[in-house]
Amino acid sequence: MEVTITTENFESLRRGAKPLVIDFWATWCGPCRMVAPIISEMAEKYDGLVVVGKCDVEEYEELAAQFGIRNIPTVLFIKGGEVVDKIVGAMGKAKFEEKFEALLA
């Protein structure tokens, strides 16, 4: 299940026991809509192992700015509170699976 990342819950999720994946997106973004079903599928597949969240860059500009997000979709992979990997732009399911597996290694 995906969670909505907000300024209120971000720090607790970032410092949580499970790795965190954040999809930075916007409603008007075509590539974001292409990636959304893959992110949803990964959230289901890795439920209980990884927290998967979505952050609307227009609603939470300060979070996007904190990570220097300039292009969307950008998906950050966070482990131990630190960004360990990212994907910028639309990628296929195989690439996302590879990144999720690496996050759990």
Side-chain angles (χ1 to χ4, degrees):
M1 183 180 88
E2 298 163 296
V3 297
T4 299
I5 304 293
T6 67
T7 50
E8 292 79 27
N9 69 5
F10 170 70
E11 280 303 322
S12 64
L13 291 171
R14 179 183 186 173
R15 298 186 193 296
K18 295 176 186 162
L20 174 63
V21 175
I22 306 174
D23 174 17
F24 286 90
W25 69 287
T27 55
W28 48 262
C29 169
C32 297
R33 288 193 299 271
M34 291 170 46
V35 167
I38 297 170
I39 295 294
S40 294
E41 187 176 332
M42 295 295 105
E44 279 187 40
K45 181 175 180 176
Y46 293 92
D47 188 36
L49 300 172
V50 177
V51 175
V52 179
K54 297 182 72 68
C55 182
D56 185 326
V57 296
E58 292 190 318
E59 204 169 328
Y60 298 102
E61 291 176 32
E62 60 279 6
L63 282 177
Q66 179 178 338
F67 291 102
I69 305 297
R70 303 241 186 284
N71 299 303
I72 54 173
T74 292
V75 180
L76 298 182
F77 297 84
I78 299 173
K79 190 173 188 175
E82 300 296 321
V83 176
V84 295
D85 207 348
K86 71 178 175 179
I87 292 176
V88 178
M91 299 282 171
K93 180 180 167 185
K95 185 55 119 178
F96 280 98
E97 284 183 326
E98 176 186 311
K99 299 287 187 179
F100 270 79
E101 288 297 325
L103 191 62
L104 292 172

